[in-house]
Structure formats: C-alpha cells, structure tokens
Amino acid sequence: MNTPRPLMSLDEALERLVAGASAAAITATEQVSTFEALGRVLAEDVVSGLDVPPADNTSMDGYAVRCADLTMPGTVLPVAQRIPAGTVGQPLQPGTAARIFTGAQVPPGADAVVMQEQCVPVDGGAVRIDAVPTPGQWIRRRGEDIGTGSVVLARGARLTPQALGLAAAVGRASLTVRRRPRVALFSTGDELAMPGEPLKPGGIYNSNRFTLRGLLQAAGCEVQDLGIVPDRLDATRDALKRAAAASDLIVTSGGVSVGEEDHLRPAMLAEGRLDLWQIAMKPGKPLAFGAVRRAAADGEALFVGLPGNPVSSWVTCLLAVMPLLRALQGMPQAAPKAVAVRADFDWPRPDKRREFVRARL
C-alpha cells in the first residue's frame, strides 16, 4: 500500500521555487530610457554623480538675510536684489536683504531666509522683517538629500514612479535593467470555452486565462498566450515544446492531478522533469514545479503548474509564481511580505493547512 507523502509547508515550497529560479536568473540586460523604465528591474546600482540639492537653496518664498542684521522684530532693510529660481544672485552685503523664491540658490553671505508671510514691503524698495530668524532657517543645504557617490537605487529594485523621479533627480537619462521575463501561458481542459463562445453541456468559461495573464503582465512579463490546450497527450506535449522554445517560464492552469484526463504529468516527464507537490495550504493544495527542455540542448524553461480552480489558481499564482518571478529577475526580496493585523472575525474551525481567506483591510 502506498503511503501518502506528508504535505509540504508553503515556506519549504517557496524556498525550493526561489532556489530554482535564482539558479536560472535572467542575466541579459538592456539600456532603456528613464521615461520608459517603469516596472523594470535594475541590473546595476544607480550612483549619484552630484549633490542634491547642488547648492544651498531656499525652501520658501521670502527674503534672504544675514542674522546679524536682525536682532529685533520690525527691522527695515533695503532690498538689494531679486533672485528667482534658476538664477544665481550676488553676494549679500551687510545691512541688505534679497527677495528670493522657492528653489533659488541662497546668495553668499546670507545665512537665513524669512518667509514672506513674516515680511512687509515698504516704500523705497525696502522690507520690514517682523520676525527674528535663526541661522539656517528655511535653507536646504547642498547635498542634504543626496550626496555625490551615494547609491540612490540598488540593483534588483523594481522601478516605481518615485524611483524614476529619483533617477532623474541625479541626472540619469537611461538605466540598465534586466530583460523582461518571458512567460508562456496556457490552460488545459476540453470543458473550457472563451467568453463570447456558446457553452456546450458541462462547459465553463476560461476565467483563469484572464486572471493569470493579467497578473503576469502586471508583473512586467512578456506573455506568450498559447490559449486552451485539448486534453490529449500529444497536444499537451506539443504545447510544452512550443512554450519552452522562447520562454523563461511556463505557467499552466489545470491538469496537475493524476486522473486519466490529466496529461500534464506524462507530458512533462516526456519533455523535461517534474515534481508534484501537495502544499499545506488552502486553497491551492496541488502544485507542480519542474522544467521543460528546449530543442537542440539549448537549456530549459522553468515550469509551474497551477490548479484549475479559479480561486486556487489565483492564490497559488500570487504566492508561488510571483516570488519565483522576482527571484528570476534577481530581486533580493523574493518571498511575499506578511503584515500582522487584528482579524475582526472569528475562525471557529481552522484547517490544519495554512488557510488564506478573502478579507477587507
């Protein structure tokens, strides 16, 4: 009698998936415009070649002054110059003030800025300062945000909108990123139909194709969609060969059981290698991981077989495929992050498997 294998923990499954992907990590890189780099993964550190800000500047509209000239509120000083952003003023002479605008470089000699709300222009081109400033007030110092030579974005980081702004702030017009992961996707099952097609008796619409394709595209992948594969061994083998030819990863939904109509296992054993796992999680217990050989001994494409149930397929894609993709792109944080919050509901009959439930946060 065959003794069933114990369920594998999700942590162990993730460890194996990430290890397999890390060993096959994408090394090819390309230069892309910073404008076009959203969602890409950096292949090298971005190091600043300048200070940000490049010079002391003001964070307020107001007046640049010398603190030594302002020992009491109400002091009146002549306004000797006007300094908009993008211009460089003259050295500030003792006993004078400079009208200055946010982002403008603070003139030499000035050691504070008084905001315009605390100042009143007076006749004759002068200003009354109604507050006594402290040295350094409203001045952003050179290099305060970023110093020359500092790493502003680390290799392996996924580029967010704010990361692109940071790269632009240090003058980077282009960035070196890893090639996008190429993922082949197909579903198995004679019962599947596409929306818009008539449903035959016993048929269902293939929602997994839309969910998985969307998740992969949102993760920055180039997706080769091979559609629905019939429940035949020859068709499944052919789909695997076509998928492996131009992909880093093959993702399938359905057919990972061991029934007579589940042909993925024998097809995978014929075209590559396969390990069937039973994961201690709910939903999404069955998961398959392996690789498919490419023609002419040109390496192999990784394979993940997801269950056909739509909720199970979605959950296992989030928890297993997404970490694998991050590892494939050399990202340091591959495993999903957990956030501890208080559950505002009772769970009277917890399953022995780790259970994932839908909730509102």
Side-chain angles (χ1 to χ4, degrees):
M1 186 173 96
N2 292 330
T3 303
R5 289 189 297 176
L7 298 180
M8 182 184 298
S9 72
L10 178 59
D11 292 336
E12 182 183 351
L14 283 173
E15 186 177 332
R16 293 193 187 186
L17 286 167
V18 168
S22 298
I26 297 168
T27 57
T29 63
E30 56 189 14
Q31 286 282 123
V32 298
S33 164
T34 304
F35 267 126
E36 306 298 331
L38 182 64
R40 304 299 296 270
V41 175
L42 277 174
E44 60 182 28
D45 292 343
V46 175
V47 179
S48 178
L50 71 161
D51 291 328
V52 180
D56 292 357
N57 67 28
T58 175
S59 59
M60 286 285 179
D61 289 345
Y63 293 85
V65 297
R66 302 167 68 101
C67 290
D69 295 332
L70 297 165
T71 58
M72 64 180 63
T75 301
V76 176
L77 297 175
V79 179
Q81 56 183 311
R82 185 176 185 274
I83 312 174
T87 63
V88 178
Q90 298 299 314
L92 186 69
Q93 298 303 313
T96 68
R99 181 72 165 110
I100 196 166
F101 298 89
T102 302
Q105 185 171 320
V106 175
D111 58 3
V113 172
V114 182
M115 68 173 69
Q116 63 186 14
E117 290 83 355
Q118 295 174 325
C119 303
V120 179
V122 298
D123 293 339
V127 63
R128 188 182 79 227
I129 311 293
D130 290 335
V132 176
T134 56
Q137 177 177 292
W138 303 122
I139 294 177
R140 291 186 291 225
R141 297 300 183 186
R142 174 178 178 172
E144 182 178 298
D145 293 333
I146 301 169
T148 301
S150 61
V151 175
V152 296
L153 294 169
R155 178 181 61 183
R158 187 179 296 282
L159 291 165
T160 59
Q162 58 269 36
L164 298 183
L166 187 55
V170 298
R172 291 294 296 267
S174 63
L175 297 167
T176 303
V177 297
R178 292 184 188 261
R179 173 179 59 74
R180 292 184 185 275
R182 296 167 182 157
V183 183
L185 173 68
F186 66 84
S187 308
T188 65
D190 290 339
E191 75 280 11
L192 299 177
M194 287 297 290
E197 298 176 351
L199 277 180
K200 63 183 180 181
I204 58 172
Y205 286 121
N206 185 8
S207 62
N208 286 347
R209 183 175 183 182
F210 293 82
T211 304
L212 297 178
R213 179 187 174 110
L215 286 171
L216 294 169
Q217 288 175 330
C221 301
E222 294 178 2
V223 180
Q224 179 191 12
D225 190 341
L226 298 179
I228 300 169
V229 174
D231 279 328
R232 300 196 321 268
L233 179 59
D234 61 335
T236 306
R237 290 185 62 177
D238 179 67
L240 289 172
K241 286 187 283 189
R242 287 187 290 124
S247 67
D248 305 298
L249 171 66
I250 303 168
V251 176
T252 66
S253 66
V256 293
S257 299
V258 292
E260 293 181 5
E261 297 301 318
D262 295 314
H263 299 293
L264 263 175
R265 183 176 184 276
M268 281 294 301
L269 293 177
E271 300 298 334
R273 54 188 174 85
L274 181 69
D275 195 359
L276 284 171
W277 299 341
Q278 298 288 305
I279 310 297
M281 60 179 283
K282 179 183 179 180
K285 179 177 163 185
L287 184 75
F289 178 61
V292 179
R293 294 184 301 272
R294 298 193 186 101
D298 185 24
E300 60 183 20
L302 296 177
F303 170 87
V304 176
L306 305 178
N309 175 275
V311 174
S312 298
S313 179
W314 175 63
V315 170
T316 49
C317 186
L318 288 174
L319 294 177
V321 176
M322 294 299 117
L324 185 153
L325 284 171
R326 288 191 284 270
L328 199 59
Q329 296 174 86
M331 298 177 67
Q333 178 60 43
K337 293 182 180 179
V339 179
V341 296
R342 181 177 65 86
D344 200 27
F345 55 89
D346 293 327
W347 202 244
R349 298 178 61 187
D351 196 278
K352 63 180 180 180
R353 296 173 287 170
R354 187 184 301 182
E355 195 157 357
F356 294 88
V357 298
R358 284 168 276 194
R360 290 187 179 91
L361 182 62

